Amino acid sequence: METDSLLDDIQDINLSYLLLAQRMISEDRTTALFRLKMDDEMADLISSLSIKQLTQLARTNQLLCRLCYEEPGQLYKLTHNQREQGLGQTHAALLMASAHHECSSVSSN
């Protein structure tokens, strides 16, 4: 029974993520590509999907989104940071930006 609940939660998160991605792409494509760490082709595909297709895609036992911090040290620095909250958010943005750059470099090779 608990597995069914977990699967339902994963599918709900997936659908929410896909709907948010579509909205972000339609409202500010450049920022969406950066924040979602995706290329133009993937953005075009996601924005073209119908609600039925999004729902089918969301119905999986795997999360479609993932944590953007690859290194545990990055997450540790953000969660155990004694800096003022505003600086912590800036630090997080810089770490995510560098992760995006690394992902782009790897995918271009």
Side-chain angles (χ1 to χ4, degrees):
M1 185 61 102
E2 193 160 315
T3 303
D4 289 340
S5 175
L6 186 60
L7 184 58
D8 288 343
D9 290 345
I10 289 172
Q11 292 175 355
D12 288 346
I13 289 170
N14 285 342
L15 185 57
S16 294
Y17 174 75
L18 291 168
L19 290 170
L20 177 62
Q22 266 193 340
R23 188 172 129 216
M24 290 171 67
I25 293 165
S26 71
E27 290 179 6
D28 185 348
R29 185 180 182 89
T30 304
T31 302
L33 294 178
F34 175 75
R35 289 186 175 164
L36 296 168
K37 297 178 180 31
M38 67 175 58
D39 60 20
D40 281 313
E41 187 177 357
M42 182 63 78
D44 289 341
L45 182 56
I46 289 176
S47 61
S48 72
L49 296 175
S50 69
I51 190 68
K52 180 179 179 182
Q53 290 169 316
L54 290 174
T55 304
Q56 289 172 334
L57 187 56
R59 291 180 139 340
T60 179
N61 63 353
Q62 299 293 313
L63 284 171
L64 298 177
C65 56
R66 67 181 179 99
L67 194 59
C68 65
Y69 303 109
E70 297 289 330
E71 299 293 324
Q74 291 176 324
L75 188 58
Y76 182 84
K77 286 176 187 175
L78 291 172
T79 58
H80 292 81
N81 190 353
Q82 298 302 316
R83 298 178 189 180
E84 181 182 326
Q85 182 64 25
L87 291 176
Q89 290 174 349
T90 301
H91 188 219
L94 289 171
L95 285 173
M96 287 188 287
S98 69
H100 175 68
H101 175 69
E102 290 168 8
C103 288
S104 297
S105 298
V106 170
S107 64
S108 333
N109 293 335

